[in-house]
Amino acid sequence: MLSTAHRYFLEVVRGGSIKDAAAALHVAPSAISRQIAKLEHDCGAALFERRPHGMVLTRAGELLADYARRAAMDSEHVLRDIRSLRHAELTTIRIGSNEAVARNVLPRILGAYRDRHPEVAFQVHIASPGVVTQRLRDGAIDVGLAFSLNPGSGIDVRYDIVSPVRAIMVPGHPLAARGSVSLDDLRPYPIALTDSGTTVRLLFDNSAARGDGPPFDVAYSSNSSSVIRAIVEAGHAITLAGEITLAQPLASGALVAVALRQPGFAERTLQIQTASHATLPDATERFVRHLIQALSAGVAATPSGLFSESESIQEN
């Protein structure tokens, strides 16, 4: 089990400051400062660089953070196993995902799995890709399902599916009949986008910043993909999205997907992620294998052109 000092240390790492850590833990800042000082004395090295806008880990701090995260995850797994033995509790699998995948992809997969494994319960946490990967590193979730360009260190990509970003619009839109469009072709039309933190918004903002011409008309933005989809289906705007999360309206003809010519939009993948330093419980590992199989089968069963599987399963 993690000591008080290690718990306080990890909260400072998460929050970036002693003040934020104290607020999250409901303790006095001085108590956290004392525990950090004790750790630094025991380690014989500074764990943080104190900066005006927060605290940044030193190399020694990074090593201790990796150890503490592993210890926290191992402790959580042991406690869950003990509780399961003592109280016959459900095995809970914690999943992190963005809203669109959680709404349109996960329900059938989770439902089918629990029909065969009623002893399993699921917690689904909605977050942006960056938050999903951070929660994996911190041990707050077991499995991440996220669109990503580069998940960074400490993350294993267990499987990925190519999910290029397309221009999505109603069939009657002036651009709907084109085989492909450039980002510049979208400038005259209202656009609806999810807020910053998503891969789509990152790709759009980076590409838009490099382009010339009149500004884009980002008429609608929201942290909810459901809101963006409703606006697009009503014919008020174009959006940018992957086809895997819009398979149903695309297959029915309610929406149309048009390829974008910018190469960067074709490189995004939907990834199944786990923490590199985590040893998953057997029940969770079995579900990860099921998730891989279900997504692979979904690729094969989806009408041609909606999305395609990457060349191989990647083990990073």
Side-chain angles (χ1 to χ4, degrees):
M1 310 306 170
L2 279 185
S3 68
T4 298
H6 286 109
R7 287 193 299 107
Y8 287 8
F9 167 73
L10 279 181
E11 196 58 49
V12 175
V13 174
R14 293 189 189 102
S17 72
I18 288 176
K19 178 181 177 182
D20 289 345
L25 293 167
H26 306 289
V27 299
S30 58
I32 293 181
S33 294
R34 285 196 298 272
Q35 294 294 340
I36 297 299
K38 178 180 182 298
L39 279 178
E40 290 184 324
H41 178 268
D42 292 344
C43 293
L47 301 176
F48 294 98
E49 293 180 15
R50 276 72 170 176
R51 297 181 180 177
H53 301 293
M55 301 174 69
V56 178
L57 286 171
T58 63
R59 178 57 182 152
E62 290 174 353
L63 292 173
L64 183 62
D66 287 342
Y67 160 77
R69 287 169 180 145
R70 288 195 301 271
M73 279 187 278
D74 289 345
S75 175
E76 175 64 20
H77 292 157
V78 168
L79 288 174
R80 285 159 62 186
D81 288 343
I82 291 173
R83 286 195 296 266
S84 180
L85 288 172
R86 289 183 175 178
H87 306 294
E89 291 183 354
L90 296 173
T91 297
T92 300
I93 299 173
R94 304 166 301 169
I95 303 169
S97 171
N98 78 342
E99 181 192 2
V101 172
R103 183 184 65 244
N104 298 309
V105 177
L106 278 178
R108 63 180 177 81
I109 296 175
L110 302 188
Y113 190 78
R114 198 170 192 279
D115 284 345
R116 296 197 300 273
H117 301 278
E119 75 282 1
V120 171
F122 294 102
Q123 292 179 355
V124 181
H125 303 264
I126 304 302
S128 65
V131 174
V132 168
T133 55
Q134 188 56 52
R135 287 180 176 175
L136 281 171
R137 293 187 186 100
D138 292 343
I141 59 175
D142 306 306
V143 184
L145 192 57
F147 292 109
S148 182
L149 299 172
N150 178 14
S153 62
I155 299 297
D156 283 346
V157 178
R158 302 287 298 273
Y159 185 71
D160 68 353
I161 295 171
V162 174
S163 181
V165 177
R166 309 293 196 196
I168 309 292
M169 63 202 76
V170 292
H173 193 279
L175 299 179
R178 296 197 184 184
S180 65
V181 294
S182 70
L183 205 61
D184 285 339
D185 291 331
L186 310 186
R187 291 184 188 272
Y189 304 102
I191 299 172
L193 293 172
T194 48
D195 291 341
S196 59
T198 64
T199 55
V200 166
R201 192 58 186 261
L202 177 64
L203 286 166
F204 173 82
D205 288 345
N206 287 344
S207 296
R210 293 194 297 267
D212 296 323
F216 289 93
D217 181 13
V218 182
Y220 309 94
S221 63
S222 174
N223 63 348
S224 169
S225 62
S226 298
V227 171
I228 297 299
R229 174 176 169 176
I231 290 169
V232 174
E233 288 184 327
H236 300 312
I238 298 171
T239 193
L240 304 180
E243 294 164 291
I244 188 171
T245 59
L246 295 170
Q248 183 177 357
L250 290 170
S252 69
L255 293 175
V256 173
V258 181
L260 288 164
R261 296 190 194 117
Q262 278 80 2
F265 288 95
E267 297 172 359
R268 191 186 66 159
T269 60
L270 175 61
Q271 300 177 348
I272 298 174
Q273 303 171 345
T274 58
S276 300
H277 50 263
T279 301
L280 297 179
D282 289 344
T284 306
E285 185 60 43
R286 284 194 296 271
F287 171 72
V288 170
R289 293 196 294 268
H290 169 80
L291 185 58
I292 291 170
Q293 293 170 354
L295 287 179
S296 178
V299 171
T302 302
S304 176
L306 288 186
F307 58 99
S308 59
E309 187 179 355
S310 60
E311 290 298 323
S312 62
I313 297 175
Q314 295 184 12
E315 295 286 349
N316 293 336

